[in-house]
Amino acid sequence: SQTIHQWPATLVQPVGSPLSLECTVEGTSNPNLYWYRQAAGRGLQLLFYSIGIDQISSEVPQNLSASRPQDRQFILSSKKLLLSDSGFYLCAWSVSRGQGIGNYGYTFGSGTRLTVV
Amino acid sequence: KNQVEQSPQSLIILEGKNCTLQCNYTVSPFSNLRWYKQDTGRGPVSLTIMTFSENTKSNGRYTATLDADTKQSSLHITASQLSDSASYICVVSPSNDYKLSFGAGTTVTVRA
């Protein structure tokens, strides 16, 4: 069965410090991978999505970047955190359209609560 | 613009009672609609997934309906339990894009 791991669960970082959130998927190959941010009382906002290694699309210009060094690994980074980067970050995966059933399955990680102080 | 509107924003019900959550969407072309349950501080967990041809689907005490003509969906919770207290999110997927459209969620509080 497929599983998704996201860590850390919580993080408190000072303004100006770097950030690295990691997400890995097991039990599947060539997944689509996503990073979302969720603000209180708001819907999830798509930050980045990736359909393959080194194929990453950014949805919102911001202080963050994403990388996919391996097929099932997705990393969210920042060189210098801002206060506005605080939030709840979710990684997710889905089967790729190339596997014939489109964006049907969509599974989220457990989330990272980031507080920038 | 693809949008998903959920109502009510929040509701409080007594344990054992039923409730219904609403989701209206404008996403087109439509592929599927999902309901997720999100406990506080956790990632969303899928409850149901429905495609265009499905108009009802159940998962235990959760029953989702879909009217693709009017672009409306509902999630009915039967005989609520304290553990049903969570945010319920409606998510709609277009058939021509990877990006999903999320509702803001309905926060359900079940009280003893």
Side-chain angles (χ1 to χ4, degrees), chain B residues 57-108:
Chain B
K57 185 163 284 189
S58 293
N59 178 359
R61 294 179 296 101
Y62 300 101
T63 299
T65 65
L66 173 66
D67 186 334
D69 292 330
T70 62
K71 299 186 176 181
Q72 296 179 322
S73 177
S74 66
L75 180 69
H76 186 76
I77 305 175
T78 303
S80 60
Q81 300 176 359
L82 296 178
S83 60
D84 293 330
S85 295
S87 178
Y88 293 84
I89 303 172
C90 177
V91 182
V92 183
S93 176
S95 58
N96 61 352
D97 201 341
Y98 297 105
K99 302 172 220 175
L100 308 184
S101 293
F102 291 82
T106 294
T107 301
V108 174

Side-chain angles (χ1 to χ4, degrees), chain B residues 6-67:
Chain B
Q6 289 188 245
S7 61
Q9 184 176 7
S10 63
L11 65 92
I12 300 173
I13 58 173
L14 294 177
E15 188 177 16
K17 298 297 184 182
N18 305 334
C19 68
T20 300
L21 316 180
Q22 299 291 339
C23 173
N24 298 333
Y25 63 92
T26 62
V27 176
S28 182
F30 174 84
S31 176
N32 58 73
L33 183 147
R34 321 147 199 243
W35 284 94
Y36 284 85
K37 178 187 179 187
Q38 185 176 22
D39 293 316
T40 302
R42 305 296 299 274
V45 175
S46 179
L47 294 175
T48 62
I49 303 175
M50 289 183 292
T51 60
F52 184 88
S53 60
E54 297 172 300
N55 54 25
T56 186
K57 185 163 284 189
S58 293
N59 178 359
R61 294 179 296 101
Y62 300 101
T63 299
T65 65
L66 173 66
D67 186 334

Side-chain angles (χ1 to χ4, degrees), chain A residues 32 34 36 38 41-46 49 51 59 88 90 94 96-97 103-111 113, chain B residues 9 32 34 36 38 41-46 49-51 54 57 89 93-100 102-104:
Chain A
N32 289 345
Y34 310 83
Y36 284 87
Q38 187 177 35
R42 304 284 297 275
L44 279 77
Q45 178 188 38
L46 178 62
Y49 71 93
I51 61 173
E59 289 298 301
F88 190 59
L90 286 160
S94 71
S96 69
R97 290 187 181 274
N103 201 10
Y104 197 82
Y106 206 88
T107 304
F108 288 91
S110 55
R113 173 69 59 190
Chain B
Q9 184 176 7
N32 58 73
R34 321 147 199 243
Y36 284 85
Q38 185 176 22
R42 305 296 299 274
V45 175
S46 179
I49 303 175
M50 289 183 292
T51 60
E54 297 172 300
K57 185 163 284 189
I89 303 172
S93 176
S95 58
N96 61 352
D97 201 341
Y98 297 105
K99 302 172 220 175
L100 308 184
F102 291 82

